[in-house]
mmCIF file of all heavy atoms in Angstrom:
data_model
loop_
_atom_site.group_PDB
_atom_site.id
_atom_site.type_symbol
_atom_site.label_atom_id
_atom_site.label_comp_id
_atom_site.label_asym_id
_atom_site.label_seq_id
_atom_site.Cartn_x
_atom_site.Cartn_y
_atom_site.Cartn_z
ATOM 1 N N HIS A 300 -10.883 13.655 -154.453
ATOM 2 C CA HIS A 300 -10.729 13.019 -155.788
ATOM 3 C C HIS A 300 -9.428 12.317 -155.830
ATOM 4 O O HIS A 300 -8.415 12.815 -155.329
ATOM 5 C CB HIS A 300 -10.979 13.944 -156.841
ATOM 6 C CG HIS A 300 -12.169 14.830 -156.768
ATOM 7 N ND1 HIS A 300 -13.495 14.320 -156.861
ATOM 8 C CD2 HIS A 300 -12.330 16.076 -156.490
ATOM 9 C CE1 HIS A 300 -14.284 15.428 -156.694
ATOM 10 N NE2 HIS A 300 -13.614 16.436 -156.477
ATOM 11 N N THR A 301 -9.366 11.179 -156.495
ATOM 12 C CA THR A 301 -8.082 10.445 -156.643
ATOM 13 C C THR A 301 -7.001 11.284 -157.420
ATOM 14 O O THR A 301 -5.866 11.284 -157.144
ATOM 15 C CB THR A 301 -8.237 9.093 -157.346
ATOM 16 O OG1 THR A 301 -9.197 8.333 -156.520
ATOM 17 C CG2 THR A 301 -6.957 8.342 -157.496
ATOM 18 N N HIS A 302 -7.477 12.004 -158.438
ATOM 19 C CA HIS A 302 -6.507 12.637 -159.410
ATOM 20 C C HIS A 302 -6.474 14.158 -159.300
ATOM 21 O O HIS A 302 -7.452 14.861 -158.725
ATOM 22 C CB HIS A 302 -6.946 12.240 -160.800
ATOM 23 C CG HIS A 302 -6.977 10.787 -161.048
ATOM 24 N ND1 HIS A 302 -5.858 10.042 -161.232
ATOM 25 C CD2 HIS A 302 -8.051 9.937 -161.123
ATOM 26 C CE1 HIS A 302 -6.185 8.813 -161.397
ATOM 27 N NE2 HIS A 302 -7.534 8.679 -161.270
ATOM 28 N N ASP A 303 -5.356 14.686 -159.732
ATOM 29 C CA ASP A 303 -5.166 16.175 -159.630
ATOM 30 C C ASP A 303 -6.227 16.897 -160.467
ATOM 31 O O ASP A 303 -6.584 16.474 -161.501
ATOM 32 C CB ASP A 303 -3.744 16.504 -160.133
ATOM 33 C CG ASP A 303 -2.650 15.950 -159.167
ATOM 34 O OD1 ASP A 303 -3.026 15.486 -158.073
ATOM 35 O OD2 ASP A 303 -1.506 15.992 -159.539
ATOM 36 N N PHE A 304 -6.461 18.151 -160.023
ATOM 37 C CA PHE A 304 -7.465 19.034 -160.778
ATOM 38 C C PHE A 304 -6.801 20.337 -160.964
ATOM 39 O O PHE A 304 -6.232 20.807 -160.016
ATOM 40 C CB PHE A 304 -8.824 19.106 -160.049
ATOM 41 C CG PHE A 304 -9.669 20.211 -160.530
ATOM 42 C CD1 PHE A 304 -10.465 19.927 -161.705
ATOM 43 C CD2 PHE A 304 -9.727 21.447 -160.011
ATOM 44 C CE1 PHE A 304 -11.370 20.922 -162.247
ATOM 45 C CE2 PHE A 304 -10.602 22.407 -160.526
ATOM 46 C CZ PHE A 304 -11.326 22.196 -161.605
ATOM 47 N N ALA A 305 -6.928 20.894 -162.116
ATOM 48 C CA ALA A 305 -6.527 22.321 -162.346
ATOM 49 C C ALA A 305 -7.661 23.034 -163.096
ATOM 50 O O ALA A 305 -8.158 22.444 -164.145
ATOM 51 C CB ALA A 305 -5.301 22.349 -163.225
ATOM 52 N N GLY A 306 -8.162 24.254 -162.635
ATOM 53 C CA GLY A 306 -9.269 24.802 -163.361
ATOM 54 C C GLY A 306 -9.427 26.311 -162.907
ATOM 55 O O GLY A 306 -8.561 26.829 -162.191
ATOM 56 N N ALA A 307 -10.476 26.875 -163.468
ATOM 57 C CA ALA A 307 -10.743 28.310 -163.086
ATOM 58 C C ALA A 307 -12.270 28.523 -163.035
ATOM 59 O O ALA A 307 -13.017 27.767 -163.491
ATOM 60 C CB ALA A 307 -10.162 29.115 -164.286
ATOM 61 N N VAL A 308 -12.561 29.620 -162.334
ATOM 62 C CA VAL A 308 -14.002 30.023 -162.170
ATOM 63 C C VAL A 308 -14.391 30.799 -163.380
ATOM 64 O O VAL A 308 -13.665 31.801 -163.707
ATOM 65 C CB VAL A 308 -14.271 30.783 -160.860
ATOM 66 C CG1 VAL A 308 -15.671 31.265 -160.803
ATOM 67 C CG2 VAL A 308 -13.836 29.930 -159.696
ATOM 68 N N VAL A 309 -15.493 30.468 -164.082
ATOM 69 C CA VAL A 309 -15.988 31.216 -165.179
ATOM 70 C C VAL A 309 -16.953 32.258 -164.624
ATOM 71 O O VAL A 309 -16.915 33.371 -165.104
ATOM 72 C CB VAL A 309 -16.744 30.285 -166.158
ATOM 73 C CG1 VAL A 309 -17.347 31.044 -167.354
ATOM 74 C CG2 VAL A 309 -15.749 29.179 -166.621
ATOM 75 N N SER A 310 -17.857 31.961 -163.770
ATOM 76 C CA SER A 310 -18.833 32.819 -163.232
ATOM 77 C C SER A 310 -19.334 32.404 -161.871
ATOM 78 O O SER A 310 -19.181 31.200 -161.538
ATOM 79 C CB SER A 310 -20.028 33.088 -164.223
ATOM 80 O OG SER A 310 -20.684 31.791 -164.425
ATOM 81 N N GLY A 311 -19.913 33.350 -161.144
ATOM 82 C CA GLY A 311 -20.419 32.965 -159.753
ATOM 83 C C GLY A 311 -19.388 33.152 -158.692
ATOM 84 O O GLY A 311 -18.266 33.478 -158.997
ATOM 85 N N THR A 312 -19.812 32.841 -157.474
ATOM 86 C CA THR A 312 -18.868 32.912 -156.287
ATOM 87 C C THR A 312 -18.775 31.527 -155.637
ATOM 88 O O THR A 312 -19.868 31.044 -155.184
ATOM 89 C CB THR A 312 -19.382 33.926 -155.279
ATOM 90 O OG1 THR A 312 -19.530 35.210 -155.931
ATOM 91 C CG2 THR A 312 -18.465 34.028 -154.081
ATOM 92 N N LEU A 313 -17.609 30.976 -155.708
ATOM 93 C CA LEU A 313 -17.395 29.628 -155.191
ATOM 94 C C LEU A 313 -16.584 29.772 -153.954
ATOM 95 O O LEU A 313 -15.678 30.610 -153.768
ATOM 96 C CB LEU A 313 -16.595 28.771 -156.239
ATOM 97 C CG LEU A 313 -16.576 27.266 -156.192
ATOM 98 C CD1 LEU A 313 -17.978 26.776 -156.681
ATOM 99 C CD2 LEU A 313 -15.527 26.681 -157.158
ATOM 100 N N ARG A 314 -16.860 28.880 -152.991
ATOM 101 C CA ARG A 314 -16.106 28.791 -151.774
ATOM 102 C C ARG A 314 -15.471 27.402 -151.640
ATOM 103 O O ARG A 314 -16.116 26.404 -151.855
ATOM 104 C CB ARG A 314 -16.964 29.060 -150.489
ATOM 105 C CG ARG A 314 -17.685 30.417 -150.599
ATOM 106 C CD ARG A 314 -18.307 30.819 -149.237
ATOM 107 N NE ARG A 314 -19.361 29.849 -148.880
ATOM 108 C CZ ARG A 314 -20.148 29.946 -147.827
ATOM 109 N NH1 ARG A 314 -19.919 31.011 -146.946
ATOM 110 N NH2 ARG A 314 -21.004 29.059 -147.520
ATOM 111 N N HIS A 315 -14.083 27.431 -151.465
ATOM 112 C CA HIS A 315 -13.354 26.152 -151.518
ATOM 113 C C HIS A 315 -12.315 26.159 -150.445
ATOM 114 O O HIS A 315 -11.618 27.142 -150.281
ATOM 115 C CB HIS A 315 -12.686 26.041 -152.876
ATOM 116 C CG HIS A 315 -12.036 24.758 -153.166
ATOM 117 N ND1 HIS A 315 -12.836 23.682 -153.803
ATOM 118 C CD2 HIS A 315 -10.820 24.293 -152.918
ATOM 119 C CE1 HIS A 315 -11.917 22.669 -153.878
ATOM 120 N NE2 HIS A 315 -10.766 22.989 -153.443
ATOM 121 N N GLY A 316 -12.178 25.058 -149.684
ATOM 122 C CA GLY A 316 -11.206 25.042 -148.637
ATOM 123 C C GLY A 316 -11.260 23.755 -147.728
ATOM 124 O O GLY A 316 -11.716 22.762 -148.171
ATOM 125 N N ARG A 317 -10.855 23.975 -146.476
ATOM 126 C CA ARG A 317 -10.735 22.831 -145.563
ATOM 127 C C ARG A 317 -12.121 22.336 -145.084
ATOM 128 O O ARG A 317 -12.305 21.187 -144.924
ATOM 129 C CB ARG A 317 -9.902 23.358 -144.342
ATOM 130 C CG ARG A 317 -9.581 22.325 -143.374
ATOM 131 C CD ARG A 317 -8.953 22.962 -142.114
ATOM 132 N NE ARG A 317 -7.854 23.793 -142.452
ATOM 133 C CZ ARG A 317 -6.596 23.358 -142.714
ATOM 134 N NH1 ARG A 317 -6.367 22.111 -142.680
ATOM 135 N NH2 ARG A 317 -5.692 24.186 -143.009
ATOM 136 N N SER A 318 -13.059 23.268 -144.886
ATOM 137 C CA SER A 318 -14.347 22.909 -144.407
ATOM 138 C C SER A 318 -15.353 24.011 -144.682
ATOM 139 O O SER A 318 -15.004 24.995 -145.230
ATOM 140 C CB SER A 318 -14.273 22.563 -142.905
ATOM 141 O OG SER A 318 -13.980 23.796 -142.135
ATOM 142 N N ALA A 319 -16.541 23.841 -144.194
ATOM 143 C CA ALA A 319 -17.578 24.855 -144.423
ATOM 144 C C ALA A 319 -17.395 26.080 -143.486
ATOM 145 O O ALA A 319 -17.967 27.108 -143.798
ATOM 146 C CB ALA A 319 -18.951 24.268 -144.052
ATOM 147 N N GLU A 320 -16.452 25.993 -142.596
ATOM 148 C CA GLU A 320 -16.119 27.125 -141.732
ATOM 149 C C GLU A 320 -14.719 27.677 -142.101
ATOM 150 O O GLU A 320 -14.394 28.742 -141.732
ATOM 151 C CB GLU A 320 -16.010 26.664 -140.316
ATOM 152 C CG GLU A 320 -17.365 26.311 -139.728
ATOM 153 C CD GLU A 320 -17.883 24.861 -140.166
ATOM 154 O OE1 GLU A 320 -16.997 23.980 -140.414
ATOM 155 O OE2 GLU A 320 -19.110 24.772 -140.309
ATOM 156 N N ASP A 321 -13.896 26.939 -142.901
ATOM 157 C CA ASP A 321 -12.576 27.398 -143.191
ATOM 158 C C ASP A 321 -12.302 27.257 -144.722
ATOM 159 O O ASP A 321 -12.080 26.154 -145.285
ATOM 160 C CB ASP A 321 -11.498 26.545 -142.431
ATOM 161 C CG ASP A 321 -10.154 26.961 -142.652
ATOM 162 O OD1 ASP A 321 -9.912 27.907 -143.373
ATOM 163 O OD2 ASP A 321 -9.206 26.304 -142.117
ATOM 164 N N PHE A 322 -12.511 28.396 -145.413
ATOM 165 C CA PHE A 322 -12.480 28.316 -146.968
ATOM 166 C C PHE A 322 -11.926 29.572 -147.443
ATOM 167 O O PHE A 322 -11.806 30.612 -146.725
ATOM 168 C CB PHE A 322 -13.891 28.016 -147.432
ATOM 169 C CG PHE A 322 -14.849 29.000 -147.035
ATOM 170 C CD1 PHE A 322 -15.021 30.220 -147.698
ATOM 171 C CD2 PHE A 322 -15.745 28.779 -145.892
ATOM 172 C CE1 PHE A 322 -15.995 31.158 -147.275
ATOM 173 C CE2 PHE A 322 -16.675 29.664 -145.554
ATOM 174 C CZ PHE A 322 -16.802 30.893 -146.218
ATOM 175 N N GLU A 323 -11.715 29.609 -148.816
ATOM 176 C CA GLU A 323 -11.349 30.865 -149.523
ATOM 177 C C GLU A 323 -12.456 31.104 -150.530
ATOM 178 O O GLU A 323 -13.041 30.142 -151.167
ATOM 179 C CB GLU A 323 -10.037 30.681 -150.136
ATOM 180 C CG GLU A 323 -8.768 30.669 -149.131
ATOM 181 C CD GLU A 323 -7.497 30.938 -149.864
ATOM 182 O OE1 GLU A 323 -7.365 31.831 -150.642
ATOM 183 O OE2 GLU A 323 -6.554 30.189 -149.449
ATOM 184 N N THR A 324 -12.743 32.325 -150.761
ATOM 185 C CA THR A 324 -13.746 32.713 -151.802
ATOM 186 C C THR A 324 -13.105 32.955 -153.130
ATOM 187 O O THR A 324 -12.118 33.619 -153.218
ATOM 188 C CB THR A 324 -14.510 33.993 -151.330
ATOM 189 O OG1 THR A 324 -15.096 33.705 -150.052
ATOM 190 C CG2 THR A 324 -15.578 34.328 -152.297
ATOM 191 N N MET A 325 -13.721 32.316 -154.191
ATOM 192 C CA MET A 325 -13.233 32.416 -155.567
ATOM 193 C C MET A 325 -14.316 33.002 -156.465
ATOM 194 O O MET A 325 -15.499 32.700 -156.395
ATOM 195 C CB MET A 325 -12.812 30.971 -156.069
ATOM 196 C CG MET A 325 -11.680 30.306 -155.229
ATOM 197 S SD MET A 325 -11.446 28.681 -155.842
ATOM 198 C CE MET A 325 -10.798 29.072 -157.499
ATOM 199 N N THR A 326 -13.841 33.936 -157.293
ATOM 200 C CA THR A 326 -14.803 34.533 -158.233
ATOM 201 C C THR A 326 -14.214 34.491 -159.679
ATOM 202 O O THR A 326 -13.144 33.816 -159.862
ATOM 203 C CB THR A 326 -15.087 36.062 -157.956
ATOM 204 O OG1 THR A 326 -13.805 36.741 -157.837
ATOM 205 C CG2 THR A 326 -15.733 36.178 -156.611
#
């Protein structure tokens, strides 16, 4: 995305990172 993002997980398990093989799990 062009612009900065700041946020938080409300519910569920999100995976976010470099790729589908290299990520961190967020709850």
Side-chain angles (χ1 to χ4, degrees):
H300 309 291
T301 300
H302 303 283
D303 294 351
F304 169 83
V308 178
V309 178
S310 63
T312 301
L313 202 71
R314 300 190 301 182
H315 188 90
R317 185 188 309 278
S318 67
E320 293 76 32
D321 184 2
F322 57 81
E323 292 192 43
T324 300
M325 301 178 62
T326 57

